[in-house]
Amino acid sequence: MRKDGLSQQAYVPVPEGETYEPFVSAKESLSEFTLKSVGLGIVFGIIFGAANAYLGLRAGLTISTSIPVAVMTVAVFRALSTVGIRGTILETNISQTTGSASSSLASGVIFTLPALFMWGMPPELLQMTLLAMCGGLLGILFMIPLRRFLIEREHGKLPYPEGTACAEVLVANEIGGGRARFVFYGLAGGAFFKFLTSWIQVIPGDIHTKIPFLKKGQLGMDLSAALFGVGYILGPRIAAVMVGGGLLSWLIIIPAIAYWGEARTEPFYPETIQIIRDMEPSRIWTRYVRYIGAGAVATAGIVTLIRSIPVMVSSFRIGASQLGERVSSGTASATRTANDLPLRFVGIGVLIIALVLILVPQVFGAVGGVGLRAVAAVCVVVFAFFFVTVASRIVGLVGVTSNPTSGMTIAALLGTASIFLFFGWTDAFGKAAALTVGCVVAIAASISGDTSQDLKTGYLLGATPRRQQTAELIGVITSATFVCLTVLALGKGFGFGSTELPAPQATLMKLVIDGVLDQNLPWTLVAIGAGIALVCEVLRIPSLPFAVGVYLPVSTMTPIFVGGVIRLWMER
């Protein structure tokens, strides 16, 4: 085992004819897949999956939890060592691999399933759990044959930033370091702030103020430690872009609508009761600005997807050819650090999941007979295979947080809804089926990015791939129920689509399906949002973060901006 850190080959392509030397040699056999490593990963998976579900429903964005889980795992293993229970670096890696899977499940679930509640078709816990498991398992299984190409052959060309950073954290702990204490500082600070705002209420939980001389102009700020943390993670640039979108909505668009509607004596669609001059700013935001924001988010997601098409096509072609090579060779590597789960396991697993989608009515819910479920299952497998191949390469370049999951989900929903429209399945059951297809695809695409980052960490450290892949599968199975329980509890407590829990991505997916199957959207407002996103692209402003800022309340964006500013100050 190397004692002075990762090899310099960890950051550059390996010359032809040479092999990468991991931190733990392939000839060494350290404890890796143990009860304590997997058990600890399961616990952290439940905790971080629930946290990411809340953040996604509140802020519209989720974050990669691999590094926080790794740091927490390091801290717990270090504490256990004081009582004689020691762990290896490979056990720590298995823990973070198991624990990080839940965040991807949370992303796919919160991006889609809250729309069922908004339609008045709330899913049961069993249905949500089955959808989460099917998507998570499918994403991991499709990623297994791609590992040898994306992680090994493309080493040094695809940096996989979170995976590399996670390996550095684990190695730093192995050779000496105290990064874990900063996580506990953050936990203590967040808990103390929550104590001040919610328990003894010496500080208000939110602040709002009207802007003088600006009709219905208003600014606000939620004093939320969680949102401060999101801004800190995203950094000052993205945080500033997001708050810029919020300021556009609340200081320009809402006042403009108020001035324009001052003389109107009839409600303006989609509002059917109140006239504009009688509306509060929050009502104008709900009835008009959210459609503008939805158009902006959808357009930004599609633009991101279009920009990724060259990478997507090459990734799919290379991934398919690599899969063909694996199938034709049919051999398994005897080297520990290159030993994947067998392709037969992958094929049987995919077949079982497809049969479950078709034959188990509870997966898609009460959406019709076997024929509709069979079409939906085919859409799931086809879209998931394509987008897993795409996402696992894209995150190698830009990281998990920048994975265009929403754009991929929109594309899958547009394709599925168009197929359903062709068959005439345009009722509520057809909408629900299309949305559940999008849910499984979103989870598969999201978790493939997380899996590839984890496998990169393992490659740099010298882990056994099949054990990591098994740990990912366990992480999905054990955390799915708890992630879905968290979403159900949040929905019951606050209501999806509310100011406290806007669920922006799910609302957007609902609008996409409604637009295709009902064709009753206020397209003028949606087109305005699309124009905003396109202007951002022309001005080279990151369109998706800006569009999310347009879509969400400015009171959610301001603490994210403050978190970004704090990071800027800390890094000076």
Side-chain angles (χ1 to χ4, degrees):
M1 181 190 298
R2 297 180 59 88
K3 297 298 183 181
D4 57 346
L6 291 173
S7 164
Q8 285 301 313
Q9 290 182 331
Y11 308 98
V12 296
V14 179
E16 190 173 351
E18 297 183 18
T19 57
Y20 169 71
E21 180 188 357
F23 187 78
V24 178
S25 169
K27 297 179 181 179
E28 296 183 68
S29 182
L30 301 182
S31 297
E32 186 172 6
F33 194 86
T34 61
L35 181 62
K36 66 175 180 289
S37 64
V38 175
L40 192 59
I42 291 172
V43 172
F44 283 137
I46 293 171
I47 295 171
F48 281 90
N52 228 11
Y54 172 71
L55 290 177
L57 290 169
R58 183 77 185 275
L61 295 172
T62 56
I63 58 175
S64 172
T65 59
S66 290
I67 296 174
V69 171
V71 174
M72 291 293 291
T73 303
V74 163
V76 173
F77 269 82
R78 184 173 294 176
L80 290 174
S81 68
T82 62
V83 294
I85 303 176
R86 301 190 179 279
T88 69
I89 188 172
L90 297 187
E91 285 182 297
T92 310
N93 180 57
I94 286 293
S95 289
Q96 74 84 18
T97 298
T98 308
S100 63
S102 63
S103 296
S104 299
L105 292 184
S107 297
V109 169
I110 62 147
F111 276 20
T112 52
L113 294 187
L116 291 176
F117 293 86
M118 300 176 196
W119 275 324
M121 303 173 65
E124 298 291 335
L125 175 62
L126 176 61
Q127 181 186 4
M128 295 176 67
T129 302
L130 288 173
L131 288 169
M133 285 185 180
C134 287
L137 297 177
L138 206 57
I140 295 168
L141 290 173
F142 279 145
M143 176 59 204
I144 289 172
L146 302 176
R147 186 202 66 85
R148 197 165 297 172
F149 173 76
L150 292 175
I151 307 301
E152 291 187 9
R153 294 193 188 179
E154 292 289 279
H155 174 66
K157 301 175 184 176
L158 297 176
Y160 286 101
E162 287 97 343
T164 302
C166 194
E168 291 172 342
V169 168
L170 298 181
V171 170
N173 172 70
E174 190 72 11
I175 62 179
R179 298 186 183 186
R181 70 179 186 276
F182 295 111
V183 175
F184 291 100
Y185 291 161
L187 288 171
F192 181 68
F193 194 81
K194 188 69 175 177
F195 175 76
L196 294 178
T197 57
S198 298
W199 296 349
I200 62 175
Q201 297 182 350
V202 297
I203 299 176
D206 56 82
I207 302 171
H208 291 85
T209 182
K210 293 183 178 181
I211 306 300
F213 311 114
L214 188 61
K215 185 178 291 294
K216 300 189 187 296
Q218 182 175 295
L219 287 177
M221 181 174 181
D222 292 344
L223 298 179
S224 165
L227 294 178
F228 291 145
V230 171
Y232 191 93
I233 292 172
L234 292 175
R237 181 170 181 268
I238 297 299
V241 169
M242 292 181 73
V243 80
L247 294 176
L248 175 66
S249 289
W250 288 80
L251 297 185
I252 297 178
I253 296 177
I254 289 178
I257 292 174
Y259 284 117
W260 175 79
E262 182 68 23
R264 294 187 64 90
T265 58
E266 298 288 336
F268 180 70
Y269 185 79
E271 174 62 39
T272 58
I273 300 175
Q274 281 188 300
I275 59 177
I276 291 177
R277 68 168 174 261
D278 294 336
M279 290 183 179
E280 292 294 323
S282 59
R283 181 73 176 177
I284 295 176
W285 173 76
T286 300
R287 302 304 292 158
Y288 302 114
V289 178
R290 292 188 76 174
Y291 288 98
I292 295 174
V297 173
T299 303
I302 293 171
V303 167
T304 303
L305 196 63
I306 292 173
R307 189 186 294 116
S308 303
I309 283 178
V311 177
M312 292 167 64
V313 172
S314 64
S315 297
F316 183 76
R317 184 179 65 249
I318 294 169
S321 64
Q322 176 67 11
L323 180 58
E325 291 178 17
R326 288 286 308 278
V327 172
S328 61
S329 65
T331 58
S333 172
T335 306
R336 180 185 64 80
T337 54
N339 191 3
D340 295 290
L341 288 172
L343 284 178
R344 179 176 296 179
F345 178 87
V346 174
I348 293 174
V350 172
L351 179 61
I352 291 174
I353 292 172
L355 290 175
V356 168
L357 292 173
I358 296 172
L359 300 178
V360 180
Q362 288 81 1
V363 179
F364 289 121
V367 296
V370 174
L372 188 150
R373 294 201 298 270
V375 172
V378 170
C379 291
V380 164
V381 173
V382 171
F383 285 124
F385 177 64
F386 178 75
F387 287 125
V388 163
T389 306
V390 169
S392 55
R393 185 176 181 88
I394 289 177
V395 300
L397 296 170
V398 299
V400 171
T401 304
S402 301
N403 188 8
T405 303
S406 61
M408 297 180 190
T409 308
I410 290 170
L413 288 178
L414 288 173
T416 305
S418 299
I419 293 171
F420 283 18
L421 183 63
F422 175 79
F423 284 108
W425 299 332
T426 58
D427 59 4
F429 293 139
K431 292 179 180 180
L435 186 82
T436 50
V437 168
C439 173
V440 179
V441 173
I443 293 172
S446 180
I447 203 165
S448 67
D450 173 76
T451 301
S452 58
Q453 297 284 358
D454 290 337
L455 291 173
K456 179 67 172 185
T457 302
Y459 176 72
L460 297 177
L461 295 178
T464 308
R466 68 183 299 148
R467 290 174 178 169
Q468 279 195 281
Q469 292 154 358
T470 303
E472 289 275 1
L473 295 171
I474 292 173
V476 166
I477 294 170
T478 55
S479 64
T481 301
F482 293 96
V483 168
C484 295
L485 276 172
T486 301
V487 173
L488 286 173
L490 290 170
K492 184 176 181 180
F494 301 105
F496 298 114
S498 64
T499 302
E500 177 68 24
L501 213 65
Q505 298 286 5
T507 304
L508 172 61
M509 305 310 166
K510 173 179 177 292
L511 291 175
V512 169
I513 296 175
D514 284 336
V516 174
L517 298 182
D518 290 344
Q519 303 181 11
N520 63 352
L521 285 177
W523 288 106
T524 301
L525 298 176
V526 173
I528 292 172
I532 291 172
L534 293 176
V535 169
C536 287
E537 289 293 326
V538 171
L539 298 178
R540 298 185 179 276
I541 298 172
S543 58
L544 189 56
F546 190 88
V548 170
V550 173
Y551 184 82
L552 289 174
V554 71
S555 58
T556 301
M557 295 298 100
T558 44
I560 291 177
F561 174 69
V562 171
V565 172
I566 292 173
R567 176 171 172 177
L568 178 66
W569 178 74
M570 292 287 290
E571 292 181 346
R572 291 184 61 182

